[in-house]
C-alpha cells in the first residue's frame, strides 16, 4: 500500500506506521482516508501483530485537524457523517480500537487536537518523551474535543485532572502527561527507544488468541462504561454542532486560517491562539 | 453579600472566596448556611466564571465540622435533614457541584473532615502546597466521613488507597495527597500561585457554553456511576445514624469537646485524638 | 491451627500470616486448602482485626501456582471447579475479599501468577519494597492470568497500563508497581516496616463496625462494576479452558516442568521462559 501521509515499514510481524504530512503533520481528509484504508487492511492481516505509530517530524506528531478541510467539509453537507451520533474521527478511532493487533504510539513533539483524540481512543498504549507536548486547543477556540477526546480524557485522567487539561488548553509536557495518565510512561528518548524495543519484542511473541483472550476480559470488566462511552461520544457531537453554529468558533477558525497553519504559528499553538484572541 | 465566615473578593469574572472563621476555621452551621446562600447567588450570576476557594489562615483551611453545632443539632430533631438519604453536608456539596462556574480550591494548612468532604465533592479541581494536611479523623472517632467524603475518596483514590486514607485517619501531606489523587497537583507555594494564576487566566477566557459542553460529555461518560454515587451517599447516612446512636461516638465527641476545639489541640488532631483514646 | 505452608503469629488483634513453602513458595493445592481453612476461621473470629500477609523467603513471596499440581488437576476431572464460571483461585480470592478483617500484604521478592492474583483481589491494601518483583508470566506461556488477575489488574491500573503489564509478562519492580497502581505504596525496607507498624497500630484501633461501615459505602459506590467483575472472571475462565486445550500451553507447561521449578530457574522467570521458547 502506498500512502501519501503515512510511511509503512514492515519488519516481521511489526508494522511501523510513520506519519509524514509536511510541513506540520496536519491530520487532513487524505490522512483520515488513508488511516481508514490501513485499518481495513489490518483488520484481516494476520501477518501483523504489533503496530507502532510514530512521526517523521521530531517537532510534530500530529499538529491537529486541518482547518481548511474542516471549513470545506462544513460548507459541503455531503461530506458530513451519515450517522447523527458518531462523527468521522470518532468512527475512525472506534474502528482502529477494534483491530486485533496491539497498537502503540511513540509520541515525540506536538500531538494536539484530532491527533491526540485518535491516540487516546485507538491506541492500546501510548509512550512519550519529555519533549512531547500534548494539548487540546479546542476550548480556546470556543468548542470542545469532539472526536472522542473529551470522553477518553475523562476516562483516563479522571474528572478533575481531565477538566483541567481540557479547559486550560495548554501544552502538557511528557512528564505531566504521564502524571495525568494520558500516556503509560514518559522516558528520555534513548531510554524510551530501548524500552519500546524490549516491549515490542515481547508483544511479538504473543499469539492473536492470547491477545484476544485478554481483550475479552477487559471488555467484560469495563462493560459498565461502554454504553456511557457512546453517550459521551454523542454528547461531544451535540457540543460540536452547537459550536459550529456559533459565531465565536467560525471567527476563531477564520482567524487561525488567516494567520496560517504555519510551522511558526503551530510550534506554540496555545500562545498563538491567545495572541489571536487579544482585542485589537 | 456580607458573610461572617467567608470573605468575598471579585476581580472581573473571578470570585475569590476566602474562608475566615477564627480561630481555626471550623465549619459550623453559620458557614454551611452562608455557603448555601453563596451557591444560590452563583447559580444565577453570569458575571462569575471562576471561583477560587482559599483560606485566610495559613495553618487551617477548614479544621472540621464544629462538634458543638453537631451535638446541638443531634439534640434538636427539627434541625435534621428532611430527606432520609441525603444529609446537609452532602446536599451542600451536590448543590455546589452543579454550579455552572469552574470551582478551584487552593489548599494550604489543615483541611479535615467536613471541609475535605466539601472540597472532594463540590470543587472541580483541588491544588495543594506541600504544607497542606488532608485527613478524615472520623474513623478514629468511631464513625465515618458521611458528608460525601467516603464516597468521593473511594472514587478518586480507588478502593485500596481510599481505605488506607480513611481508616488510618492520619494527616496526609500535600505530596501524598497528589499521589493518592486527592488533588490535581501539589506545588511549592510560590510555584503554585504562579500555576494557579496562569490556569485561572485561561479558565476566565472560557465561555459558560464551552464549560457546559465539557460537563455534558463528562456527565454522559460517568453516568454509570451517578446512581451508585447516590447509593454511596445513602450508605454514608446509614453509617452516620448507626454511629450517632453508639456510645463510642458520643463519648468521643464529648471527650473532644471537653479537651476543647483549640488551635493547640487541632494542629495535630490525629495525635490529639490518639492521646484522648488512651486509657487512664 | 497448624499449617504446612503458612506460619501464624498472633499479637493481640493482629494476625501475621507468613508464607513458607520452600524452596520457592509455590502456591500449591495444599496452600490453597490451607488458605481456604484459614479464611473460614477468620470469617468468624472477632479476635482478629488486621491480617498481615508476608513471606519467610526474602526472594520469593509466592513464585506462582505449582505446575505439577496444575497438570495433575487437569488429568483428574474430579478436581475441577463445580461451578462453570468461577475457578478455585477466583473462589479463594472472593471469599478472602469478603472477610471482615483489614487485610494487608507486605511484598518483598517475587510475587507472580496465582500469588499476585490473590494479592490483587483478596487484600485490601498492598505495600512493596523496591526489591519486589511483580509479574504475570501467563501470557508468555500462551494463556492468561485466570484467577482474577486479568480482571483486577484492569480495574487497578486502567486498560492501557494493565495491558502492557499483562502482555509484557516481565518483572515490574516495586517502583513500577506503585506507578501502575498495583500497590498502595513502595518504600525502602526499613521505611516500609515503620510505615506498616504505624498503619497497623491505627487499624487495630478501628472497630469491626467502623470498618464494615466503610466497606458498605465502597460497595455501594462501586456497585456498577460488581456485575461486570463477575463477567470478567467468567471471561478469564473461558480463556483458561480454551488455553488448556491448546498444544502451546500444554507444551509450555511440560517444558517448564522439564526444566524444573527450581530456585535458579524461577529467580528470573521471564528470562527462563524466554530461553525455553527459543527454537532449538
Amino acid at each position: 500500500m502506498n500512502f501519501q501521509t503515512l510511511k509503512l515499514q514492515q519488519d516481521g510481524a511489526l508494522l511501523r506506521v510513520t506519519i509524514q504530512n509536511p510541513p506540520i503533520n496536519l491530520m487532513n481528509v487524505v490522512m483520515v482516508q488513508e488511516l481508514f484504508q490501513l485499518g481495513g487492511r489490518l483488520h484481516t492481516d494476520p501477518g501483523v501483530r504489533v503496530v507502532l505509530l510514530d512521526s517523521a517530524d521530531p517537532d510534530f506528531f500530529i499538529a491537529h485537524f486541518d482547518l481548511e478541510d474542516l471549513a470545506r467539509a462544513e460548507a459541503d453537507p455531503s461530506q458530513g457523517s451519515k450517522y447523527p451520533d458518531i462523527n468521522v474521527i470518532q468512527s475512525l478511532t472506534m474502528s482502529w480500537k477494534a483491530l486485533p493487533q496491539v497498537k502503540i504510539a511513540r509520541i515525540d513533539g506536538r500531538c494536539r487536537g484530532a491527533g491526540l483524540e485518535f491516540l487516546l481512543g485507538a491506541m492500546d498504549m501510548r509512550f512519550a518523551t519529555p519533549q512531547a507536548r500534548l494539548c487540546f486547543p479546542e476550548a480556546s477556540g470556543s468548542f470542545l474535543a469532539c472526536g472522542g477526546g473529551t470522553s477518553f480524557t475523562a476516562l483516563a485522567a479522571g474528572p478533575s485532572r481531565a477538566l483541567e487539561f481540557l479547559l486550560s488548553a495548554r501544552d502538557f509536557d511528557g512528564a505531566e502527561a504521564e502524571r495525568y495518565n494520558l500516556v503509560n510512561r514518559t522516558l528520555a528518548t534513548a531510554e524510551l527507544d530501548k524500552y519500546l524495543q524490549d516491549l515490542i519484542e515481547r508483544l511479538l511473541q504473543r499469539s492473536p488468541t492470547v491477545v484476544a483472550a485478554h481483550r475479552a476480559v477487559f471488555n467484560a470488566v469495563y462493560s459498565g462504561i461502554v454504553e456511557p462511552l457512546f453517550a459521551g461520544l454523542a454528547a461531544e457531537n451535540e457540543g460540536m454542532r452547537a459550536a459550529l453554529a456559533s459565531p465565536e468558533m467560525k471567527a476563531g477558525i477564520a482567524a487561525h486560517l488567516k494567520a496560517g497553519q504555519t510551522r511558526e504559528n503551530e510550534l506554540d499553538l496555545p500562545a498563538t491562539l491567545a495572541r489571536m484572541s487579544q482585542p485589537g
Side-chain angles (χ1 to χ4, degrees), chain A residues 122-154:
Chain A
M123 297 291 109
D124 290 302
M125 310 170 198
R126 291 158 296 286
F127 297 89
T129 67
Q131 299 83 43
R133 294 289 178 274
L134 281 67
C135 172
F136 282 124
E138 280 83 347
S140 71
S142 292
F143 65 119
L144 79 171
C146 47
T150 309
S151 296
F152 286 113
T153 302

Side-chain angles (χ1 to χ4, degrees), chain A residues 91-144:
Chain A
S91 170
L92 174 69
T93 292
M94 299 309 279
S95 68
W96 266 69
K97 190 181 186 63
L99 292 176
Q101 289 83 9
V102 181
K103 294 137 291 183
I104 301 177
R106 179 196 178 282
I107 315 172
D108 204 18
R110 287 137 196 91
C111 183
R112 301 189 184 118
L116 183 54
E117 304 194 273
F118 182 66
L119 293 201
L120 286 171
M123 297 291 109
D124 290 302
M125 310 170 198
R126 291 158 296 286
F127 297 89
T129 67
Q131 299 83 43
R133 294 289 178 274
L134 281 67
C135 172
F136 282 124
E138 280 83 347
S140 71
S142 292
F143 65 119
L144 79 171

Side-chain angles (χ1 to χ4, degrees), chain A residues 14-256:
Chain A
L14 168 69
L15 181 68
R16 186 168 163 181
V17 180
T18 302
I19 296 166
Q20 51 174 12
N21 191 25
I24 55 166
N25 279 0
L26 283 171
M27 179 183 271
N28 58 8
V29 167
V30 174
M31 190 188 291
V32 169
Q33 285 168 345
E34 293 184 345
L35 284 169
F36 266 117
Q37 287 169 37
L38 177 57
R41 168 190 147 188
L42 288 170
H43 203 69
T44 52
D45 185 347
V48 177
R49 290 189 177 189
V50 177
V51 177
L52 174 66
L53 190 65
D54 62 9
S55 163
D57 184 333
D59 289 331
F60 289 93
F61 190 94
I62 291 181
H64 53 74
F65 196 78
D66 187 339
L67 297 181
E68 298 200 17
D69 279 5
L70 180 65
R72 208 171 290 133
E74 280 314 302
D76 176 3
S78 78
Q79 293 208 20
S81 169
K82 291 183 193 74
Y83 309 97
D85 280 349
I86 194 158
N87 59 47
V88 67
I89 303 294
Q90 293 174 341
S91 170
L92 174 69
T93 292
M94 299 309 279
S95 68
W96 266 69
K97 190 181 186 63
L99 292 176
Q101 289 83 9
V102 181
K103 294 137 291 183
I104 301 177
R106 179 196 178 282
I107 315 172
D108 204 18
R110 287 137 196 91
C111 183
R112 301 189 184 118
L116 183 54
E117 304 194 273
F118 182 66
L119 293 201
L120 286 171
M123 297 291 109
D124 290 302
M125 310 170 198
R126 291 158 296 286
F127 297 89
T129 67
Q131 299 83 43
R133 294 289 178 274
L134 281 67
C135 172
F136 282 124
E138 280 83 347
S140 71
S142 292
F143 65 119
L144 79 171
C146 47
T150 309
S151 296
F152 286 113
T153 302
L155 288 173
S160 296
R161 287 174 173 163
L163 198 67
E164 181 194 348
F165 180 67
L166 286 154
L167 290 184
S168 75
R170 72 168 172 86
D171 279 342
F172 274 53
D173 64 32
E176 292 179 296
E178 180 185 17
R179 206 180 307 161
Y180 279 38
N181 197 28
L182 302 175
V183 301
N184 278 30
R185 189 168 295 206
T186 294
L187 292 166
T189 311
E191 213 185 333
L192 178 61
D193 286 331
K194 244 178 82 179
Y195 189 90
L196 285 178
Q197 191 183 344
D198 173 76
L199 176 61
I200 289 170
E201 272 172 25
R202 293 171 184 279
L203 295 174
L204 287 170
Q205 292 163 37
R206 309 294 165 243
S207 74
T209 311
V210 162
V211 173
H214 282 82
R215 285 202 216 278
V217 176
F218 280 41
N219 288 342
V221 169
Y222 282 106
S223 59
I225 63 160
V226 168
E227 217 180 307
L229 171 61
F230 278 88
L233 300 183
E236 289 181 8
N237 265 325
E238 280 170 40
M240 182 182 65
R241 279 191 293 265
L244 282 171
S246 78
E248 289 83 4
M249 181 176 169
K250 281 186 182 148
I253 290 178
H256 191 157

